[in-house]
């Protein structure tokens, strides 16, 4: 079981068995808070400086946890807008769980650098900083959350161990409504940099993720079971997906992102677990993807549970030395942890790739491998121009179980080659017709993987 799949299980459990923090009572009454950040009634709003007013020290030795929690309790209890300031300097933070609901809006200004303990054994679970069940939350200030993850990367064996230890995620946003995060950096996370779960209307803008290429399982922003997530004008460098969308991701807009190094922008993997929620309404546009393993990707497991993903659109994207610029993979099978004998039961529909251009680092610039049991429907490719200059010839495409609508430039020729075959299966091309559409070209290879 991969890290993303384990995190999906944990996320589902959080949704089924939520925090004991009680929702705001009718009429605005606020329940008394507990030690993890819910606040008692009171407070007058205004600016709260964790150093000047709560005794925090920027000496990289004194734990920021209690001063930050005390400031949060006061801010969260105020019906007037409150601002918490973490000033310039470098702070050590062992852990922070800042929970609502709050009486009024809370803003956090992170102006300094906040560092996690470098040893992953310090943590009892996979959380470093978490913001939970808050409405009207904002965070900015130009500051940095530094996960100090180098030691964890060397211990990460999740690619071969299904019972691997999950290391802490830098920042979790759980069940936030109407949140705005901007001008913040997360770097060197031990695992995912950001995890978004159960949120409604949350925006990231001018957000920076900085992890080295060799850092395993360090997705930039992972989204699950959230509605109305917007990511704008941000830079993401990491060792895994720049942005990944899990089940239940709805109405997601990604625009103006610089991605790379990393594994590109991915929807999925889908279908691994029973009861996954539909994915719908995804728009990825005006992005530049550089030196990544994949470009834009949709992936689901073979022999999967039923599911759907629809209305997914990729437009105006520049690829620079990307190994797999465009890929739909419904035979996703990392480390052979799956059954390739049965097709994916995730139905993909209404998908478009438009005005995608640049250079491929691998020969297969376009690969659309859909499910033999539930072929893709409503796939459109328009104005594709991807070049490959390697020694094994020009770029090619491969397709199975799809009849795409084609228009504009098609470089490489779309669906002009069959998917790979194995002894257990057959695959054939979806051939483009003069009118711009393609006809089905055979069943997917049961043994093909990407």
């Amino acid at each position: 079981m991969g890290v993303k799949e384990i995190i999906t299980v944990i996320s589902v459990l959080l949704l089924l068995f939520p925090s004991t923090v009680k929702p705001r009572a009718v009429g605005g009454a606020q329940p008394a808070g507990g030690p993890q950040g819910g606040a008692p009634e009171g407070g007058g709003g205004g600016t709260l400086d964790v150093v000047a007013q709560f005794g925090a020290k920027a000496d990289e030795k004194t734990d920021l946890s209690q001063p930050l929690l005390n400031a949060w309790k006061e801010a969260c209890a105020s019906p007037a807008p409150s601002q918490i300031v973490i000033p310039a300097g470098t702070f050590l933070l062992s852990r922070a769980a800042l929970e609502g609901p709050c009486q009024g809006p809370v803003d956090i200004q992170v102006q300094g650098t906040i560092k996690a303990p470098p040893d992953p054994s310090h943590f009892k679970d996979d959380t470093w900083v978490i913001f939970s069940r808050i409405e009207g939350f904002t965070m900015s200030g130009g500051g940095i959350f530094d996960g100090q993850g180098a030691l964890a990367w060397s211990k990460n064996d999740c690619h071969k161990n299904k019972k691997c230890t999950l290391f802490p995620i830098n920042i979790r946003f759980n069940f936030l409504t109407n949140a705005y995060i901007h001008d913040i950096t997360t770097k060197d996370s031990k695992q995912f940099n950001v995890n978004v779960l159960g949120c409604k209307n949350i925006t990231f803008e001018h957000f920076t993720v900085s992890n080295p290429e060799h850092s395993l399982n360090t997705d930039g922003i992972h989204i699950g079971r959230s509605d109305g997530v917007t990511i704008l004008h941000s830079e993401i460098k990491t060792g895994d997906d720049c942005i990944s969308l899990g089940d239940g991701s709805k109405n997601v807009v990604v625009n103006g992102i610089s991605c790379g190094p990393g594994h590109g922008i991915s929807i999925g993997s889908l279908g691994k677990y029973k009861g996954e929620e539909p994915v719908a309404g995804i728009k990825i546009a005006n992005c530049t993807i550089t030196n990544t393993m994949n470009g834009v990707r949709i992936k689901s497991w073979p022999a999967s549970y039923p599911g759907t993903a629809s209305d997914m659109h990729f437009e105006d994207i520049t690829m620079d030395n990307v190994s797999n610029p465009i890929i739909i993979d419904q035979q996703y099978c990392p480390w052979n942890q799956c059954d390739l004998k049965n097709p994916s039961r995730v139905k993909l529909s209404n998908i478009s790739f438009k005005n995608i251009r640049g250079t491929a680092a691998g020969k297969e610039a376009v690969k659309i491998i859909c499910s033999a049991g539930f072929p893709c429907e409503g796939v459109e490719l328009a104005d594709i121009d991807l070049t490959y200059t390697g020694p094994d010839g020009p770029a090619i495409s491969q397709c199975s179980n799809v009849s795409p609508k084609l228009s504009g430039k098609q470089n490489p020729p779309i669906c002009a080659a069959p998917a790979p075959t194995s002894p257990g299966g057959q695959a054939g091309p979806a051939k483009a017709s003069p009118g711009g559409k393609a006809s089905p070209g055979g069943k997917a290879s049961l043994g093909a993987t990407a």
Side-chain angles (χ1 to χ4, degrees):
M1 184 183 297
V3 169
K4 291 188 184 68
E5 287 66 47
I6 298 171
I7 289 175
T8 297
V9 172
I10 293 171
S11 298
V12 170
L13 291 174
L14 283 169
L15 286 163
L16 293 174
F17 304 101
S19 167
T20 56
V21 176
K22 297 179 180 179
R24 187 179 301 178
V26 175
Q30 173 70 34
Q36 290 300 311
E41 292 189 28
T47 300
L48 306 171
D49 188 308
V50 297
V51 172
Q53 295 166 255
F54 296 91
K57 296 181 180 179
D59 59 6
E60 299 189 53
K61 296 183 293 183
T62 305
D63 192 354
L64 177 62
S65 293
Q66 195 61 48
L68 178 58
L69 181 59
N70 291 342
W72 178 262
K73 287 182 177 180
E74 185 170 328
C76 190
S78 171
S82 300
Q83 182 182 78
I84 297 171
V85 176
I86 302 171
T90 302
F91 299 83
L92 174 67
L93 175 67
S94 61
R95 191 180 190 275
L98 306 180
E99 296 186 356
C102 294
Q103 293 279 12
V106 179
D107 172 66
I108 295 184
Q109 287 285 308
V110 182
Q111 299 168 0
T113 296
I114 302 172
K115 288 189 173 183
D119 188 348
S121 66
H122 166 88
F123 295 88
K124 296 180 180 179
D125 58 21
D126 60 351
T127 296
W128 177 36
V129 178
I130 180 171
F131 300 95
S132 181
R133 302 183 185 279
I134 312 162
E135 183 172 354
F137 174 74
T138 55
M139 182 166 65
S140 60
I144 299 170
F145 289 85
D146 183 354
Q148 299 204 92
L151 184 59
W153 307 331
S154 68
K155 296 176 179 291
N156 191 320
D157 63 350
C158 291
H159 61 288
K160 58 184 179 181
N161 179 9
K162 294 182 180 182
K163 297 181 180 180
C164 63
T165 300
L166 290 178
F167 296 128
I169 291 170
N170 261 15
I171 312 173
R172 288 182 178 272
F173 298 102
N174 286 5
F175 312 107
L176 304 191
T177 302
N178 300 327
Y180 181 40
I181 319 300
H182 66 99
D183 296 288
I184 290 291
T185 294
T186 167
K187 63 172 291 189
D188 292 346
S189 182
K190 295 176 176 66
Q191 201 200 136
F192 290 5
N193 280 271
V194 171
N195 193 73
V196 178
L197 173 67
C199 291
K200 186 175 180 61
N201 298 331
I202 180 171
T203 297
F204 297 85
E205 187 168 15
H206 301 299
F207 191 82
T208 302
V209 175
S210 181
N211 261 62
E213 187 173 7
H214 66 270
S215 58
L216 298 176
N217 304 122
T218 55
D219 289 33
I221 300 175
H222 179 73
I223 302 164
R225 302 204 173 189
S226 296
D227 189 343
V229 180
T230 303
I231 306 171
L232 304 172
H233 313 303
S234 297
E235 182 178 14
I236 302 176
K237 300 178 179 180
T238 190
D240 209 295
D241 293 330
C242 293
I243 298 170
S244 56
L245 286 73
D247 80 290
S249 298
K250 298 177 182 177
N251 302 311
V252 177
V253 173
V254 176
N255 195 297
I257 304 304
S258 172
C259 164
H263 293 181
I265 299 174
S266 293
I267 298 172
S269 55
L270 303 174
K272 182 70 171 177
Y273 299 105
K274 186 177 181 179
E276 290 186 4
E277 295 184 3
V279 173
I282 313 300
K283 178 67 178 292
I284 315 293
N286 300 307
C287 297
T288 299
I289 301 177
T290 305
N291 296 327
T292 57
M293 182 179 295
N294 304 293
V296 289
R297 174 171 60 158
I298 303 169
K299 53 183 176 173
S300 73
W301 292 79
S304 71
Y305 287 99
T308 64
S310 61
D311 298 308
M312 299 169 286
H313 305 287
F314 306 88
E315 189 170 330
D316 297 323
I317 296 173
T318 299
M319 305 286 180
D320 183 0
N321 196 42
V322 173
S323 294
N324 301 287
I326 297 173
I327 181 168
I328 295 177
D329 182 6
Q330 293 205 261
Q331 296 179 343
Y332 177 71
C333 184
W335 316 306
N336 295 316
Q337 295 181 1
C338 53
D339 175 13
L340 283 168
K341 295 180 181 179
N342 295 301
S344 175
R345 291 195 287 166
V346 176
K347 179 68 175 181
L348 305 182
S349 62
N350 194 16
I351 305 164
S352 66
F353 302 93
K354 296 182 178 180
N355 194 27
I356 298 179
R357 66 276 181 196
T359 57
K363 186 178 178 68
E364 294 178 357
V366 178
K367 189 172 183 179
I368 304 178
I369 308 301
C370 296
S371 169
F374 296 85
C376 297
E377 292 185 353
V379 177
E380 180 180 2
L381 294 99
D383 298 310
I384 307 299
D385 190 6
L386 298 165
T387 60
Y388 170 68
T389 57
D392 49 343
I396 62 170
S397 69
Q398 291 187 349
C399 304
S400 62
N401 305 303
V402 62
S403 299
K405 176 184 177 182
L406 309 177
S407 63
K409 187 168 186 175
Q410 300 293 328
N411 178 36
I414 304 301
C415 299
T421 59
S422 70
Q426 296 178 341
K431 298 179 180 179
S433 68
K437 293 192 175 182
S439 58
K443 296 182 179 180
S445 162
L446 299 179
T449 60

